[in-house]
Amino acid sequence: MGQSGIILKEKKDIIFEEILSNVKKALENAGYHYICDTEKGCFKSFEYESNTICVQDRQNPERGYLMYLYGKSEEVYDTMFDWIKKGACLNQIISIEDFNNCEDMLLRFVYEYMKLSPNDIFYDELDWYYTKADIDKIVSNSLIKIGANILPT
C-alpha cells in the first residue's frame, strides 16, 4: 500500500455534484485516464453518495492511484481538522490512496483541482496541510516542465 492524503472543504460549501465535476475536470486537465463508479445508499439513519475513481497515467497505465469522493451528510462532522482553520467546519471530501511512486501525478492533480476549488485544503498522512498558495509555490519551485507549469519528479 502506498501513501495517502485527503482534500478538505468547509462543510457549508460541500456540493457533491460540483466536487465530482471539479475532480473530473482536474483529471482531464492533468491528462489522466480515469474510471468512475458511483454508489448511493443508506447507512443507519442517513443517506450517502460516494464515488470511487481509479486514476492512471495515460503514458504508463501501471502508474496511478485511487480516489474516494464523499457527499455531504448532516450526520457527518469531524472536528479533527479544526486546528487547521478555526471555525471552518472542515470535512473530508476526497480520500486519495496508493500514490506511492507517482507523487508527481498527485501534485499535478491537486494543482489542477485547486485552480477550480481554491479554498480547499490538501492534507497528507504526515500531518502536513497545503493551501492553494502552498501548492502554487511548490509547483513554481519544481523541476519538470508540464505545459506552462513546473512539477517535480
Coordinates of all heavy atoms in Angstrom, one line a residue, residues 76-120:
V76 N -22.6 13.7 9.4 CA -21.1 13.6 9.5 C -20.5 15.0 9.8 O -20.7 15.9 9.0 CB -20.6 13.1 8.1 CG1 -19.1 13.0 8.1 CG2 -21.2 11.7 7.8
Y77 N -19.8 15.1 10.8 CA -19.0 16.2 11.1 C -17.8 15.8 11.9 O -17.9 15.1 13.0 CB -19.7 17.3 11.9 CG -18.8 18.4 12.3 CD1 -18.2 19.3 11.4 CD2 -18.6 18.6 13.7 CE1 -17.4 20.3 11.8 CE2 -17.7 19.6 14.1 CZ -17.1 20.4 13.2 OH -16.3 21.4 13.6
D78 N -16.6 16.1 11.5 CA -15.4 15.7 12.2 C -14.6 16.9 12.6 O -14.2 17.7 11.8 CB -14.6 14.9 11.2 CG -13.4 14.1 11.9 OD1 -13.2 14.4 13.0 OD2 -12.8 13.3 11.2
T79 N -14.4 17.0 13.9 CA -13.7 18.2 14.5 C -12.2 18.0 14.4 O -11.4 18.8 14.9 CB -14.1 18.4 15.9 OG1 -13.8 17.2 16.7 CG2 -15.6 18.8 16.0
M80 N -11.7 16.9 13.9 CA -10.3 16.5 13.8 C -9.5 17.6 13.1 O -8.3 17.8 13.5 CB -10.2 15.2 13.0 CG -8.8 14.8 12.9 SD -8.9 13.2 12.0 CE -7.2 12.9 11.8
F81 N -10.1 18.4 12.2 CA -9.3 19.4 11.4 C -9.5 20.8 11.8 O -9.1 21.8 11.2 CB -9.6 19.2 9.9 CG -9.2 17.8 9.5 CD1 -10.3 16.9 9.2 CD2 -7.9 17.4 9.4 CE1 -10.0 15.6 8.8 CE2 -7.6 16.1 9.0 CZ -8.7 15.2 8.7
D82 N -10.2 21.0 13.0 CA -10.5 22.4 13.4 C -9.2 23.2 13.7 O -9.2 24.4 13.5 CB -11.3 22.4 14.7 CG -12.8 22.1 14.4 OD1 -13.2 22.0 13.2 OD2 -13.5 22.0 15.4
W83 N -8.1 22.6 14.0 CA -6.9 23.3 14.2 C -6.3 23.9 13.0 O -5.5 24.8 13.0 CB -5.8 22.3 14.9 CG -5.5 21.1 14.0 CD1 -6.1 20.0 13.9 CD2 -4.4 21.1 13.1 NE1 -5.5 19.1 13.0 CE2 -4.4 19.8 12.5 CE3 -3.4 22.0 12.7 CZ2 -3.5 19.4 11.5 CZ3 -2.5 21.5 11.7 CH2 -2.5 20.3 11.2
I84 N -6.7 23.4 11.8 CA -6.2 24.0 10.5 C -6.8 25.3 10.2 O -6.1 26.3 9.9 CB -6.4 23.0 9.4 CG1 -5.6 21.8 9.6 CG2 -6.1 23.7 8.0 CD1 -5.9 20.7 8.5
K85 N -8.1 25.4 10.4 CA -8.8 26.7 10.1 C -10.0 26.8 11.1 O -11.0 26.2 10.9 CB -9.4 26.5 8.6 CG -9.8 27.8 8.0 CD -10.1 27.6 6.5 CE -10.5 28.8 5.8 NZ -10.9 28.5 4.4
K86 N -9.7 27.6 12.1 CA -10.7 27.8 13.2 C -12.1 28.1 12.7 O -12.3 29.0 11.9 CB -10.2 28.8 14.2 CG -8.9 28.5 14.8 CD -9.2 27.6 16.0 CE -7.9 27.4 16.8 NZ -7.6 26.0 17.1
G87 N -13.1 27.4 13.2 CA -14.5 27.7 12.8 C -14.9 27.4 11.4 O -16.0 27.7 11.0
A88 N -14.1 26.7 10.7 CA -14.4 26.4 9.3 C -15.2 25.1 9.1 O -15.8 24.9 8.0 CB -13.1 26.3 8.4
C89 N -15.3 24.3 10.1 CA -16.0 23.0 9.9 C -15.5 22.2 8.7 O -16.3 21.9 7.8 CB -17.5 23.2 9.9 SG -18.2 23.9 11.3
L90 N -14.2 22.0 8.7 CA -13.6 21.3 7.5 C -14.0 19.8 7.6 O -14.0 19.2 8.6 CB -12.1 21.4 7.6 CG -11.5 22.8 7.4 CD1 -10.0 22.8 7.6 CD2 -11.8 23.3 6.0
N91 N -14.4 19.3 6.4 CA -14.8 17.9 6.3 C -14.0 17.3 5.2 O -13.7 17.9 4.2 CB -16.3 17.8 5.9 CG -17.2 17.9 7.1 OD1 -18.1 17.1 7.2 ND2 -17.1 18.9 7.9
Q92 N -13.7 16.0 5.3 CA -13.0 15.2 4.3 C -14.0 15.0 3.2 O -15.0 14.4 3.4 CB -12.5 13.9 4.9 CG -11.9 13.0 3.9 CD -11.4 11.7 4.6 OE1 -11.1 11.7 5.8 NE2 -11.4 10.7 3.8
I93 N -13.6 15.4 2.0 CA -14.5 15.2 0.8 C -13.8 14.2 -0.2 O -14.5 13.6 -1.0 CB -14.8 16.5 0.1 CG1 -13.6 17.3 -0.3 CG2 -15.8 17.3 1.0 CD1 -13.8 18.4 -1.3
I94 N -12.5 14.1 -0.2 CA -11.8 13.3 -1.1 C -10.7 12.6 -0.3 O -9.9 13.2 0.4 CB -11.2 14.0 -2.3 CG1 -12.2 14.8 -3.1 CG2 -10.4 13.1 -3.2 CD1 -11.7 15.8 -4.1
S95 N -10.6 11.3 -0.5 CA -9.5 10.5 0.1 C -8.7 9.9 -1.1 O -9.3 9.4 -2.1 CB -10.1 9.3 0.9 OG -9.0 8.5 1.3
I96 N -7.4 10.1 -1.1 CA -6.5 9.6 -2.1 C -5.6 8.6 -1.6 O -4.9 8.9 -0.6 CB -5.7 10.8 -2.7 CG1 -6.7 11.9 -3.2 CG2 -4.9 10.4 -3.9 CD1 -6.1 13.3 -3.5
E97 N -5.5 7.4 -2.2 CA -4.7 6.3 -1.6 C -3.8 5.7 -2.7 O -4.1 5.8 -3.9 CB -5.6 5.3 -1.1 CG -6.5 5.7 0.1 CD -7.3 4.7 0.7 OE1 -7.3 3.5 0.2 OE2 -8.1 5.0 1.6
D98 N -2.8 5.0 -2.2 CA -1.9 4.2 -3.0 C -1.2 5.1 -4.1 O -1.1 4.6 -5.3 CB -2.7 3.1 -3.7 CG -3.2 2.1 -2.7 OD1 -2.6 2.0 -1.6 OD2 -4.2 1.4 -3.0
F99 N -0.7 6.2 -3.7 CA 0.0 7.0 -4.7 C 1.5 6.9 -4.6 O 2.3 7.8 -5.0 CB -0.4 8.5 -4.8 CG -0.2 9.3 -3.5 CD1 1.0 9.9 -3.2 CD2 -1.3 9.5 -2.6 CE1 1.2 10.6 -2.1 CE2 -1.1 10.2 -1.5 CZ 0.1 10.8 -1.2
N100 N 2.0 5.8 -4.1 CA 3.4 5.5 -4.0 C 4.1 5.5 -5.3 O 3.6 4.9 -6.3 CB 3.6 4.2 -3.3 CG 5.0 4.0 -2.7 OD1 5.7 5.0 -2.4 ND2 5.5 2.8 -2.6
N101 N 5.2 6.2 -5.5 CA 5.9 6.3 -6.7 C 5.2 7.1 -7.8 O 5.6 6.9 -9.0 CB 6.4 4.9 -7.2 CG 7.4 4.3 -6.2 OD1 8.2 5.0 -5.7 ND2 7.2 3.0 -6.1
C102 N 4.2 7.8 -7.5 CA 3.6 8.7 -8.5 C 3.2 10.0 -7.9 O 2.1 10.5 -8.2 CB 2.5 8.0 -9.2 SG 1.1 7.4 -8.2
E103 N 4.0 10.5 -7.0 CA 3.7 11.7 -6.3 C 3.6 12.9 -7.3 O 2.8 13.8 -7.0 CB 4.8 12.0 -5.2 CG 4.8 11.1 -4.0 CD 5.5 9.8 -4.2 OE1 6.0 9.5 -5.3 OE2 5.5 9.0 -3.3
D104 N 4.3 12.8 -8.4 CA 4.2 13.9 -9.4 C 2.8 13.9 -10.0 O 2.2 15.0 -10.2 CB 5.2 13.7 -10.5 CG 5.1 12.4 -11.2 OD1 4.9 11.3 -10.5 OD2 5.2 12.3 -12.5
M105 N 2.2 12.7 -10.2 CA 0.8 12.7 -10.6 C -0.2 13.3 -9.6 O -1.1 14.0 -10.0 CB 0.4 11.2 -10.9 CG 1.0 10.6 -12.1 SD 0.4 8.9 -12.3 CE -1.3 9.1 -12.6
L106 N 0.1 13.0 -8.4 CA -0.8 13.6 -7.3 C -0.7 15.1 -7.3 O -1.7 15.8 -7.2 CB -0.5 13.0 -6.0 CG -1.3 13.6 -4.8 CD1 -2.8 13.2 -5.0 CD2 -0.8 13.1 -3.5
L107 N 0.6 15.6 -7.3 CA 0.8 17.0 -7.3 C 0.1 17.7 -8.5 O -0.6 18.7 -8.4 CB 2.2 17.4 -7.3 CG 2.6 18.9 -7.3 CD1 1.9 19.6 -6.1 CD2 4.1 19.1 -7.3
R108 N 0.2 17.1 -9.7 CA -0.5 17.7 -10.9 C -2.0 17.7 -10.7 O -2.6 18.7 -11.0 CB -0.1 16.9 -12.1 CG -0.5 17.5 -13.4 CD -0.1 16.7 -14.6 NE 1.3 16.5 -14.6 CZ 2.0 15.5 -15.1 NH1 1.3 14.5 -15.6 NH2 3.3 15.3 -15.0
F109 N -2.5 16.6 -10.1 CA -4.0 16.6 -9.9 C -4.4 17.7 -8.9 O -5.3 18.5 -9.1 CB -4.5 15.3 -9.4 CG -5.9 15.3 -8.8 CD1 -7.0 15.5 -9.6 CD2 -6.0 15.3 -7.4 CE1 -8.2 15.7 -9.0 CE2 -7.3 15.5 -6.8 CZ -8.4 15.6 -7.7
V110 N -3.7 17.7 -7.7 CA -4.0 18.7 -6.7 C -3.9 20.1 -7.2 O -4.7 21.0 -7.0 CB -3.1 18.5 -5.4 CG1 -3.3 19.6 -4.4 CG2 -3.5 17.2 -4.8
Y111 N -2.9 20.4 -8.0 CA -2.7 21.7 -8.6 C -3.9 22.1 -9.5 O -4.4 23.2 -9.4 CB -1.4 21.7 -9.4 CG -1.1 23.0 -10.1 CD1 -0.8 24.2 -9.4 CD2 -1.2 23.1 -11.5 CE1 -0.5 25.4 -10.1 CE2 -1.0 24.3 -12.2 CZ -0.6 25.4 -11.4 OH -0.4 26.6 -12.1
E112 N -4.3 21.2 -10.4 CA -5.4 21.4 -11.3 C -6.7 21.5 -10.5 O -7.5 22.4 -10.8 CB -5.5 20.3 -12.3 CG -4.3 20.3 -13.3 CD -4.3 21.5 -14.2 OE1 -5.3 22.2 -14.4 OE2 -3.2 21.7 -14.8
Y113 N -6.9 20.7 -9.5 CA -8.1 20.7 -8.7 C -8.2 22.1 -7.9 O -9.3 22.7 -7.9 CB -8.1 19.5 -7.7 CG -9.3 19.6 -6.8 CD1 -10.6 19.2 -7.2 CD2 -9.2 20.2 -5.5 CE1 -11.7 19.2 -6.4 CE2 -10.3 20.2 -4.7 CZ -11.5 19.8 -5.1 OH -12.6 19.9 -4.3
M114 N -7.1 22.5 -7.4 CA -7.2 23.7 -6.6 C -7.4 25.0 -7.4 O -7.8 26.0 -6.9 CB -6.0 23.8 -5.7 CG -6.0 22.9 -4.5 SD -4.9 23.3 -3.2 CE -5.6 22.3 -1.9
K115 N -7.1 24.9 -8.7 CA -7.4 26.0 -9.6 C -8.9 26.2 -9.6 O -9.5 27.3 -9.8 CB -6.9 25.8 -11.0 CG -5.4 26.0 -11.2 CD -5.1 26.1 -12.6 CE -4.1 25.1 -13.1 NZ -3.8 25.2 -14.5
L116 N -9.7 25.0 -9.5 CA -11.1 25.0 -9.6 C -11.8 25.2 -8.2 O -12.9 25.7 -8.1 CB -11.6 23.7 -10.2 CG -11.0 23.4 -11.6 CD1 -11.3 22.0 -12.0 CD2 -11.6 24.4 -12.6
S117 N -11.1 24.8 -7.2 CA -11.6 24.9 -5.8 C -10.5 25.4 -4.9 O -9.9 24.7 -4.1 CB -12.0 23.5 -5.3 OG -13.0 22.9 -6.1
P118 N -10.2 26.7 -5.0 CA -9.1 27.4 -4.4 C -9.2 27.4 -2.8 O -8.2 27.7 -2.2 CB -9.0 28.8 -5.0 CG -10.4 29.0 -5.5 CD -11.0 27.7 -5.9
N119 N -10.3 27.2 -2.3 CA -10.5 27.3 -0.8 C -10.3 26.0 -0.1 O -10.3 25.9 1.1 CB -11.8 27.9 -0.4 CG -11.9 29.4 -0.9 OD1 -10.9 30.1 -0.8 ND2 -13.0 29.8 -1.4
D120 N -10.2 24.9 -0.9 CA -10.0 23.6 -0.3 C -8.5 23.4 0.2 O -7.7 24.2 -0.1 CB -10.3 22.5 -1.3 CG -11.8 22.5 -1.6 OD1 -12.6 23.3 -1.0 OD2 -12.3 21.6 -2.4

